[in-house]
Amino acid sequence: MLIIRPDAPDEKAAAVIDRTTRYVVASGGQIVKVAPWGRRRLAYPIDRHREGSYHIVVFESPAEAIAELERSLQITEEVLRYLVTRSEKPVKARRDASSAEDGDEDIDLETDDLDVPEGVDESESEAAPAAID
């Protein structure tokens, strides 16, 4: 996600988005989606700006390229804030070497197979201890 200065011309905002997407593609990644969210009010002022132009860029990229992308966004004057998040895919597990020799394939471990609800810590589900008099 990028928040671009509201007083930046549309050409400069488009150039920042274009430069970001070109860097992702050049580093071996691919762009999934680019979605402008438009101008929105910020929760708090950033550099005396109360609004910003939000843009979402969904992409897949090698982990090594992210640090250089963040560095370039940090020094770009038109960018007020940026946020790069990682979405994890299901883990592929291999069975032990003896079963792999039998021709078994990789197994997808889906989150649906787990008993613990997603995003809930087990300690949060227990009742609070009773007060001691």
Side-chain angles (χ1 to χ4, degrees):
M1 178 177 69
L2 300 171
I3 303 176
I4 299 175
R5 297 168 54 114
D7 58 350
D10 291 337
E11 298 83 31
K12 286 208 175 204
V16 169
I17 300 298
D18 185 48
R19 186 173 1 131
T20 303
T21 56
R22 277 189 287 125
Y23 178 76
V24 169
V25 171
S27 65
Q30 69 180 44
I31 302 297
V32 176
K33 180 172 75 168
V34 177
W37 276 13
R39 198 170 177 156
R40 300 195 179 208
R41 184 171 174 88
L42 301 172
Y44 53 89
I46 302 173
D47 294 337
R48 290 179 265 141
H49 295 289
R50 298 293 299 169
E51 292 183 336
S53 178
Y54 283 70
H55 297 271
I56 303 294
V57 180
V58 181
F59 63 92
E60 294 177 0
S61 176
E64 300 82 27
I66 301 299
E68 181 64 26
L69 175 66
E70 288 181 335
R71 188 195 67 77
S72 90
L73 290 173
Q74 189 173 12
I75 63 175
T76 304
E77 291 182 15
E78 289 83 16
V79 176
L80 291 176
R81 290 285 189 270
Y82 64 90
L83 179 66
V84 178
T85 59
R86 180 175 72 175
S87 173
E88 296 197 18
K89 296 180 180 178
V91 178
K92 291 198 175 211
R94 281 200 164 271
R95 294 187 184 190
D96 57 19
S98 63
S99 0
E101 292 173 0
D102 298 336
D104 290 338
E105 297 293 322
D106 289 344
I107 300 171
D108 285 336
L109 295 178
E110 298 288 334
T111 55
D112 298 337
D113 298 338
L114 302 176
D115 292 334
V116 179
E118 184 178 319
V120 176
D121 187 14
E122 290 182 23
S123 64
E124 295 175 353
S125 63
E126 297 176 8
I132 300 173
D133 290 331

